[in-house]
Amino acid sequence: TRPSYAIRSQYLPEQEVFSAKDVSHHLFQLFSGSVWKFLIKREFIEKNGLSFQEDVLVDDLFFTYTALVHASRITVLRDRLLYYRKQVMNSQVSCRSNQLSSVYEAYQAIVDRLKQENLYDGVRSSLLNAYLTGQYWIMDAIGDWNTYAEEYRKAREIYFPSLGVDVMNEAE
C-alpha cells in the first residue's frame, strides 16, 4: 500500500487531471514535500526556474512545493513505480530532531518566492498548516527536554512570527 503521508487521497478532487488552483486550500496536505513521488517534465522545471535548496537537510521541500504551486496539470498514477526504504538509521529523514531550523529555512524560502510571484495568498493557509504539521512531527522526536524547550522558544519567538503563523485565525 502507498504510505498515507505521500498522497492523502481525501483531498483529491474528483477530476483525474487538476491544477494547483483546484486544490489550493489543501495543496500541501494532499502531497508531502518529498520529491521522490513526482514525475516532472524538464521543460516545466526550466520554465519555472525550479531548483533544490543548498545546505539544508530538507533540500527537496522548496523544489516540490514551489513546483506544486506552479502546476497547471496534476494527475495521480495509481500504479506503484517506486519503493521507498524506511528506517534507514543514517538517512536525513531519521535525524528529525536536527531539522527544525532547516524546515523553517525551507518554508521561509517558499513564502518569499511565492510572495515575490504573487502566488502566496492563494495557498497561505495550506502552506502554514503544512509547516505546523512538520514542526510538530519534528518536535515530537526531540528526546531531550532542554533541546525541546530551546527549539520551542525559537519557534515562538522567531519562526512563527517570521512565517506569519502567529497571526493565523482559528478557521485556517
Side-chain angles (χ1 to χ4, degrees):
T1 63
R2 176 180 290 134
S4 62
Y5 59 84
I7 299 174
R8 294 177 190 90
S9 57
Q10 70 266 32
Y11 297 118
L12 280 172
E14 290 189 24
Q15 65 266 32
E16 188 172 321
V17 178
F18 57 96
S19 74
K21 290 180 181 178
D22 295 329
V23 292
S24 63
H25 294 296
H26 299 290
L27 180 61
F28 305 113
Q29 286 67 45
L30 174 57
F31 301 107
S32 68
S34 304
V35 73
W36 57 264
K37 65 190 157 303
F38 294 100
L39 297 174
I40 302 172
K41 290 183 176 182
R42 179 183 179 142
E43 301 87 57
F44 176 82
I45 293 169
E46 291 171 349
K47 174 185 168 196
N48 291 290
L50 302 177
S51 63
F52 287 83
Q53 276 183 293
E54 294 184 25
D55 301 324
V56 294
L57 289 173
V58 290
D59 57 351
D60 55 350
L61 191 65
F62 175 80
F63 176 89
T64 303
Y65 279 1
T66 305
L68 281 170
V69 172
H70 285 89
S72 60
R73 295 179 44 87
I74 302 170
T75 192
V76 175
L77 300 175
R78 304 290 178 197
D79 300 330
R80 182 177 290 270
L81 303 175
L82 173 77
Y83 289 88
Y84 187 73
R85 289 183 67 181
K86 294 196 287 187
Q87 303 303 328
V88 178
M89 296 314 293
N90 61 351
S91 74
Q92 287 182 351
V93 186
S94 63
C95 304
R96 281 194 279 173
S97 62
N98 299 329
Q99 294 182 358
L100 281 168
S101 63
S102 186
V103 168
Y104 161 72
E105 290 171 23
Y107 275 92
Q108 188 64 63
I110 296 164
V111 167
D112 292 346
R113 173 153 178 187
L114 296 180
K115 282 182 175 180
Q116 181 181 31
E117 296 174 346
N118 295 317
L119 296 170
Y120 179 65
D121 290 341
V123 296
R124 177 185 174 276
S125 179
S126 179
L127 185 66
L128 294 181
N129 278 301
Y131 168 73
L132 288 171
T133 300
Q135 183 83 4
Y136 173 79
W137 182 73
I138 294 168
M139 293 284 290
D140 189 50
I142 298 174
D144 175 65
W145 171 250
N146 291 330
T147 302
Y148 182 92
E150 176 59 18
E151 291 301 332
Y152 181 75
R153 182 197 64 74
K154 284 196 279 189
R156 285 191 57 211
E157 294 177 9
I158 301 167
Y159 306 159
F160 290 1
S162 177
L163 292 172
V165 172
D166 59 336
V167 294
M168 289 178 74
N169 64 48
E170 203 170 305
E172 293 181 292

